[in-house]
Coordinates of all heavy atoms in Angstrom, one line a residue:
C149 N -14.3 -38.0 12.2 CA -12.9 -37.4 12.0 C -12.8 -36.7 10.6 O -12.2 -35.7 10.5 CB -11.9 -38.5 12.0 SG -11.7 -39.3 13.7
G150 N -13.5 -37.2 9.6 CA -13.5 -36.6 8.3 C -14.2 -35.2 8.4 O -13.7 -34.3 7.8
C151 N -15.3 -35.2 9.1 CA -16.0 -33.9 9.2 C -15.1 -32.9 9.9 O -15.1 -31.7 9.6 CB -17.3 -34.1 9.9 SG -18.5 -35.0 8.9
A152 N -14.4 -33.4 11.0 CA -13.6 -32.5 11.8 C -12.4 -31.9 10.9 O -12.0 -30.8 11.0 CB -13.0 -33.2 13.0
A153 N -11.9 -32.8 10.0 CA -10.8 -32.4 9.2 C -11.2 -31.3 8.2 O -10.4 -30.4 7.8 CB -10.2 -33.6 8.5
L154 N -12.5 -31.4 7.8 CA -12.9 -30.4 6.8 C -13.2 -29.0 7.4 O -13.4 -28.0 6.8 CB -14.2 -30.9 6.1 CG -14.0 -32.1 5.2 CD1 -15.3 -32.6 4.7 CD2 -13.1 -31.8 4.0
T155 N -13.4 -29.0 8.8 CA -13.7 -27.7 9.5 C -12.4 -26.9 9.6 O -11.4 -27.4 10.1 CB -14.2 -28.0 10.9 OG1 -15.4 -28.8 10.7 CG2 -14.6 -26.7 11.6
P156 N -12.3 -25.7 9.1 CA -11.1 -24.9 9.1 C -10.7 -24.6 10.6 O -11.5 -24.3 11.4 CB -11.4 -23.6 8.4 CG -12.9 -23.6 8.4 CD -13.4 -25.0 8.4
A157 N -9.4 -24.7 10.9 CA -8.9 -24.4 12.2 C -8.9 -22.9 12.4 O -8.6 -22.1 11.6 CB -7.5 -24.9 12.4
V158 N -9.3 -22.5 13.6 CA -9.4 -21.1 14.0 C -8.2 -20.7 14.8 O -8.1 -21.2 15.9 CB -10.8 -20.8 14.7 CG1 -10.8 -19.3 15.1 CG2 -11.9 -21.2 13.9
S159 N -7.4 -19.8 14.3 CA -6.2 -19.4 15.0 C -6.6 -18.2 15.9 O -7.3 -17.3 15.4 CB -5.1 -19.0 14.1 OG -4.7 -20.1 13.3
P160 N -6.1 -18.1 17.1 CA -6.4 -17.0 17.9 C -5.7 -15.7 17.4 O -4.6 -15.7 16.8 CB -5.7 -17.3 19.3 CG -4.7 -18.3 19.0 CD -5.2 -19.1 17.8
H161 N -6.5 -14.6 17.4 CA -5.9 -13.3 16.9 C -4.8 -12.9 17.9 O -4.9 -12.9 19.1 CB -7.0 -12.3 16.9 CG -8.1 -12.6 15.9 ND1 -7.8 -12.5 14.5 CD2 -9.4 -12.9 16.0 CE1 -9.0 -12.8 13.9 NE2 -9.9 -13.1 14.7
P162 N -3.7 -12.4 17.3 CA -2.6 -11.9 18.2 C -2.9 -10.7 18.9 O -3.7 -9.8 18.4 CB -1.4 -11.7 17.2 CG -2.1 -11.4 15.9 CD -3.4 -12.3 15.9
T163 N -2.4 -10.5 20.1 CA -2.5 -9.2 20.8 C -1.5 -8.3 20.3 O -0.3 -8.6 20.2 CB -2.3 -9.5 22.3 OG1 -3.2 -10.4 22.8 CG2 -2.4 -8.2 23.1
L164 N -1.9 -7.1 19.9 CA -1.0 -6.1 19.2 C -0.6 -5.0 20.2 O -1.4 -4.5 21.0 CB -1.7 -5.5 18.0 CG -2.2 -6.5 16.9 CD1 -2.9 -5.7 15.8 CD2 -1.0 -7.3 16.4
Y165 N 0.7 -4.6 20.1 CA 1.2 -3.6 21.0 C 1.9 -2.5 20.1 O 2.3 -2.8 19.0 CB 2.2 -4.2 22.0 CG 1.7 -5.2 22.9 CD1 1.8 -6.6 22.6 CD2 1.0 -4.9 24.0 CE1 1.3 -7.5 23.5 CE2 0.5 -5.8 24.9 CZ 0.6 -7.2 24.6 OH 0.1 -8.1 25.4
S166 N 2.0 -1.3 20.7 CA 2.7 -0.2 20.0 C 3.6 0.5 21.0 O 3.7 0.1 22.1 CB 1.6 0.8 19.5 OG 1.0 1.5 20.5
L167 N 4.3 1.5 20.4 CA 5.2 2.3 21.2 C 4.5 3.6 21.5 O 5.0 4.7 21.3 CB 6.5 2.6 20.5 CG 7.4 1.3 20.3 CD1 8.6 1.6 19.4 CD2 7.8 0.7 21.6
A168 N 3.2 3.6 22.0 CA 2.4 4.7 22.2 C 3.0 5.7 23.2 O 3.0 6.9 23.1 CB 1.0 4.3 22.5
S169 N 3.5 5.1 24.3 CA 4.0 6.0 25.4 C 5.2 6.8 24.9 O 5.4 7.9 25.2 CB 4.4 5.1 26.6 OG 3.2 4.5 27.2
A170 N 6.1 6.1 24.2 CA 7.3 6.8 23.6 C 6.8 7.8 22.6 O 7.4 8.9 22.6 CB 8.2 5.7 23.0
R171 N 5.8 7.6 21.9 CA 5.3 8.6 20.9 C 4.8 9.8 21.6 O 5.1 10.9 21.2 CB 4.2 7.9 20.0 CG 3.6 8.9 19.0 CD 2.3 8.3 18.5 NE 1.3 8.2 19.6 CZ 0.3 7.3 19.6 NH1 0.2 6.5 18.6 NH2 -0.5 7.2 20.6
D172 N 4.0 9.6 22.7 CA 3.5 10.8 23.4 C 4.6 11.6 24.0 O 4.5 12.8 24.0 CB 2.5 10.3 24.4 CG 1.3 9.6 23.8 OD1 1.0 9.8 22.6 OD2 0.6 8.8 24.5
T173 N 5.6 10.9 24.6 CA 6.7 11.7 25.2 C 7.5 12.4 24.2 O 7.9 13.6 24.4 CB 7.6 10.7 25.9 OG1 6.9 10.0 26.9 CG2 8.8 11.4 26.6
A174 N 7.8 11.8 23.0 CA 8.6 12.5 22.0 C 7.8 13.7 21.4 O 8.4 14.7 21.1 CB 8.9 11.5 20.8
A175 N 6.5 13.6 21.3 CA 5.7 14.7 20.7 C 5.6 15.8 21.7 O 5.5 17.0 21.3 CB 4.3 14.2 20.4
S176 N 5.6 15.6 23.0 CA 5.4 16.7 24.0 C 6.7 17.3 24.5 O 6.7 18.3 25.2 CB 4.6 16.2 25.2 OG 5.2 15.1 25.8
A177 N 7.8 16.6 24.3 CA 9.1 17.1 24.9 C 9.6 18.3 24.2 O 9.4 18.5 23.0 CB 10.2 16.0 24.7
R178 N 10.2 19.2 25.0 CA 10.8 20.4 24.4 C 12.0 20.7 25.3 O 11.9 21.2 26.4 CB 9.8 21.6 24.5 CG 10.4 22.9 24.0 CD 10.9 22.9 22.6 NE 9.8 22.7 21.7 CZ 9.9 22.7 20.3 NH1 11.1 22.8 19.8 NH2 8.9 22.5 19.6
S179 N 13.2 20.3 24.8 CA 14.4 20.4 25.6 C 15.3 21.6 25.4 O 16.3 21.8 26.0 CB 15.3 19.1 25.4 OG 15.6 19.0 24.0
G180 N 14.9 22.5 24.4 CA 15.7 23.6 24.1 C 14.9 24.7 23.5 O 13.7 24.6 23.2
P181 N 15.6 25.9 23.3 CA 14.9 27.0 22.7 C 14.6 26.7 21.2 O 15.1 25.8 20.6 CB 15.9 28.2 22.8 CG 17.2 27.5 22.9 CD 17.0 26.2 23.6
G182 N 13.8 27.6 20.6 CA 13.4 27.4 19.2 C 14.7 27.6 18.3 O 15.6 28.3 18.7
A183 N 14.6 27.0 17.1 CA 15.8 27.1 16.2 C 15.9 28.5 15.7 O 14.9 29.2 15.5 CB 15.6 26.1 15.1
T184 N 17.2 28.9 15.4 CA 17.4 30.2 14.8 C 17.2 30.1 13.2 O 17.2 29.0 12.7 CB 18.8 30.7 15.1 OG1 19.8 29.7 14.5 CG2 19.1 30.7 16.6
A185 N 17.2 31.2 12.6 CA 17.1 31.2 11.1 C 18.2 30.6 10.4 O 18.1 30.1 9.3 CB 16.9 32.7 10.6
T186 N 19.4 30.5 11.1 CA 20.6 30.0 10.4 C 20.8 28.5 10.8 O 21.8 27.9 10.3 CB 21.8 30.7 10.9 OG1 21.9 30.7 12.3 CG2 21.8 32.2 10.4
A187 N 19.9 27.9 11.6 CA 20.0 26.5 12.0 C 19.8 25.6 10.7 O 19.1 25.9 9.8 CB 19.0 26.2 13.0
P188 N 20.5 24.5 10.7 CA 20.4 23.6 9.6 C 19.1 22.8 9.5 O 18.4 22.7 10.5 CB 21.6 22.6 9.8 CG 21.8 22.6 11.2 CD 21.4 24.0 11.7
T189 N 18.7 22.3 8.3 CA 17.6 21.4 8.2 C 18.1 20.0 8.2 O 19.1 19.7 7.6 CB 16.8 21.7 6.9 OG1 16.2 23.0 7.0 CG2 15.8 20.7 6.6
L190 N 17.4 19.1 8.9 CA 17.8 17.8 9.0 C 16.8 16.8 8.3 O 15.6 16.9 8.5 CB 17.9 17.4 10.5 CG 18.3 15.9 10.8 CD1 19.8 15.6 10.4 CD2 18.0 15.5 12.2
T191 N 17.3 16.0 7.4 CA 16.5 14.9 6.9 C 16.8 13.6 7.6 O 18.0 13.3 7.9 CB 16.8 14.8 5.3 OG1 18.1 14.4 5.1 CG2 16.4 16.0 4.6
V192 N 15.7 12.9 7.9 CA 15.9 11.6 8.6 C 15.6 10.5 7.7 O 14.5 10.3 7.1 CB 14.9 11.6 9.8 CG1 15.1 10.2 10.6 CG2 15.2 12.7 10.7
S193 N 16.6 9.6 7.4 CA 16.4 8.5 6.5 C 15.5 7.4 7.2 O 15.5 7.3 8.5 CB 17.7 7.8 6.2 OG 18.6 8.8 5.5

Side-chain angles (χ1 to χ4, degrees):
C149 293
C151 292
L154 293 175
T155 304
V158 179
S159 299
H161 293 291
T163 302
L164 301 178
Y165 299 98
S166 71
L167 296 173
S169 297
R171 178 194 62 207
D172 296 341
T173 299
S176 60
R178 176 63 64 178
S179 58
T184 64
T186 58
T189 293
L190 177 71
T191 59
V192 180
S193 303

